[in-house]
Structure formats: structure tokens, C-alpha cells
Amino acid sequence: FVAPPSSSARPRSQLARSRPRSSRGMLLLLAVSALHPPLAATVQRRCRRRAVYLAESPGAKKLTLIRHGQSEWNLANRFTGWVDVDLTTRGIQEAREAARALKADGTEYDLVLTSCLRRAVRTSCLLLSGAGRPAVPMVKDARLNEQHAGALTGRNKRSLAKEHGHEQVMRWRRGFAVPPPPISTKAPLQSAICRDERYRRRPCAGGASGGPSQDVVVPRGETFRDCLERVSEVWSDTVEPALRDGKNVLVVSHGNALRALIKLVDGVSDEDAYHLDMPTACPLVYEALPSAGPSGVRFGDAHGTWG
């Protein structure tokens, strides 16, 4: 689902607050529930100017999803997975632009969830600092790491397409249960990840523990289904309870981890999940409304960003 919506698809409150599109601009992120239920946003291209458009429902709390800014391997068009690459100069600027949008909106976030990877952690810090909310608690959770790319890690996607065909590369990238070739535990990239202290339970003074509650098992490769399973745990034990308690939650993560969250929130089918995508550093905002259902949370329309 790729076509940008007509103006009639946008709530009137959004139209009144919209900004002019840039000369290169088109819709970045399609509003999830409003435009093509339950299929969520598909992104075609990035624009220079970004703004968040929020509905105004009394008592609603917000769940905001943001992918990290452009990373060094995004720029190099390489499968990244769990490799801990940094942001590019452009990625830093993207995060700062997103921070300005969050600050202009004025939502006071109570909790920030991010992965253990520096591109997401650094984006989170830039967002909080730029939005004037540096003291908001931040939880780093390896279950929000990017989908592990297996033996594809570090490989250029264009080169892989020449070897295996574009369709196969897209199946690796977007397929629901298509595993990448497993990476050897002796491969330098994988062994470096497995030795990383952030995935080890660390004792602290007084017998308390720091870092994860137990050692994180670093996978040798993951399907989107595998990524969805661990993200579902974060949803169940952290995100949903926080929303039920009336908190505004900001999740800063990676493309596939956020695809998994969108799938959960919007009930996107396994087949349609192939079409989900998130651009770098563009907020997607859901309204979490009180519900009489078992979860205590229901969602109104989602609102994305326009150039």
C-alpha cells in the first residue's frame, strides 16, 4: 500500500496544523488505523521537514514509536542486526529534528524504552535532551534490538541482490518466517557481540544485579517471527502495563522491532506485515484510551509525519 492519502483522509485538527510540503516531499508515514485498517504505514521516501500531528482526546495517553536516526550502515546499505554501529551526522540531525517536533507537541513522557545498541540509545538521549526532558527514566532492553541478520550481517544489500535476486533479499528483510543463513559463532562480528558485557548479568553492590536479569542469548540469526516473539514480551510486561497505569511511553528502537510493535498494536496479519516500514527518526504516535476490555487499553487513530 503505497499511495499517499487525499486530504480528506486526515482529521480536520490535523489539516489545520499541517505544514507545507517540501519540494521533494510526499507522505512519509501513513496514519495506521485511519487510512488502511489494519495495515499500518508504508514509507516511500524521506522529506526534509518533519512534524507530529496529534489528535486531542481528553484523558488519552500516548505511545510514540521512533526509529533511530540514520546509522553508518544504513548509509552503507549493509545488513546491521546486532552490530553496534553509530549514527551518521545526518542521523544526529534527524534525531534533533524529531526532538524539536516532540517538544513542540508538549507531551510529557514518563518512560523511554530503547534497545542496547548505541544508535538507538544515542537517538533516545538526543530526543530527551532536545525535548527538554533529560530526566525521563530510560530502560535499555535487548529484546528491542534489531532483528539479527545472521550470516547476512555486514553484507551490502545491493551486492546480495545481484547474487541471490532482489526477491530473495526482500524475503530475508521482510518475510515473516524466512530465516537468514545462520552466522558462525567463530565469525568476528558474532564473537564480538557474544563477548559484549551489556548482554551479561552483572552483580552490583549489596547483591543487586545490573544490566539484564540473566545472560542474553545472542541468536545466530532471526526471522521476523522470532523478533516479534521477543518484542511481544516487552509489550506484555512493560509497555501495556505502563499505558494502563496512565503513562506516556516513548519507544526508540529499530526498523523490524518497531514493525513488530505496529503489528501488535494494529492487529496486522502475518502477510500484510511484509509491507510495514518505518523511516529513520520519524515519530508515529498512538493514542492509548481507557478500555473496559481485558487489557484495559484500546487505541484510537495513529498519526504519523508529513514533510
Side-chain angles (χ1 to χ4, degrees):
F1 180 59
V2 173
S6 66
S7 60
S8 61
R10 301 170 61 198
R12 182 169 298 180
S13 62
Q14 289 179 248
L15 285 172
R17 300 172 61 185
S18 63
R19 299 183 181 181
R21 300 186 184 188
S22 67
S23 58
R24 297 169 52 197
M26 64 177 295
L27 180 64
L28 278 177
L29 196 55
L30 306 183
V32 178
S33 303
L35 300 180
H36 191 62
L39 180 59
T42 298
V43 178
Q44 276 300 74
R45 59 180 70 172
R46 297 166 176 83
C47 300
R48 294 176 181 172
R49 299 179 63 187
R50 301 156 187 235
V52 181
Y53 301 99
L54 307 174
E56 299 175 356
S57 298
K61 295 299 178 179
K62 295 185 176 73
L63 168 63
T64 301
L65 311 181
I66 303 183
R67 185 183 173 191
H68 60 79
Q70 184 194 61
S71 75
E72 294 167 340
W73 280 16
N74 289 148
L75 179 62
N77 199 29
R78 300 167 74 178
F79 277 97
T80 310
W82 285 40
V83 175
D84 199 24
V85 299
D86 207 346
L87 299 177
T88 62
T89 301
R90 172 178 169 177
I92 293 170
Q93 181 61 31
E94 288 177 340
R96 287 172 174 163
E97 290 177 4
R100 285 192 287 270
L102 294 181
K103 184 176 183 178
D105 167 62
T107 299
E108 295 188 359
Y109 290 96
D110 304 292
L111 176 65
V112 176
L113 301 174
T114 190
S115 75
C116 291
L117 300 170
R118 78 175 70 185
R119 57 193 185 272
V121 174
R122 193 174 185 188
T123 299
S124 301
C125 292
L126 289 166
L127 289 170
L128 291 178
S129 176
R133 302 284 295 169
V136 176
M138 182 192 302
V139 176
K140 302 169 189 173
D141 194 326
R143 295 175 297 176
L144 290 173
N145 278 15
E146 179 59 292
Q147 180 178 325
H148 197 301
L152 304 177
T153 302
R155 296 291 305 277
N156 181 276
K157 296 169 187 175
R158 186 178 295 274
S159 299
L160 283 169
K162 292 179 179 178
E163 292 179 29
H164 302 279
H166 175 74
E167 291 184 358
Q168 178 58 48
V169 172
M170 289 304 298
R171 282 193 288 269
W172 282 327
R173 293 183 64 192
R174 300 289 183 82
F176 183 75
V178 181
I183 191 170
S184 169
T185 55
K186 297 180 180 180
L189 289 173
Q190 182 71 355
S191 61
I193 296 169
C194 292
R195 292 194 306 269
D196 198 312
E197 288 298 318
R198 78 192 79 184
Y199 303 126
R200 295 285 178 265
R201 184 175 182 272
R202 299 185 298 278
C204 297
S209 65
S213 59
Q214 58 186 5
D215 287 353
V216 173
V217 177
V218 178
R220 296 179 59 199
E222 291 180 299
T223 64
F224 179 63
R225 179 170 58 191
D226 298 328
C227 184
L228 175 65
E229 287 178 1
R230 56 178 167 85
V231 170
S232 297
E233 295 175 1
V234 182
W235 170 261
S236 298
D237 63 37
T238 306
V239 178
E240 188 177 32
L243 293 171
R244 192 164 53 241
D245 290 343
K247 295 180 179 179
N248 291 313
V249 180
L250 173 63
V251 180
V252 184
S253 187
H254 308 265
N256 286 310
L258 294 176
R259 287 176 62 221
L261 272 174
I262 294 170
K263 184 182 189 306
L264 290 169
V265 172
D266 275 286
V268 180
S269 70
D270 296 349
E271 294 76 16
D272 283 340
Y274 180 95
H275 302 286
L276 297 177
D277 197 7
M278 284 286 285
T280 53
C282 285
L284 175 62
V285 184
Y286 289 91
E287 285 192 323
L289 306 168
S291 171
S295 72
V297 177
R298 64 185 175 88
F299 289 94
D301 290 345
H303 305 274
T305 59
W306 291 76

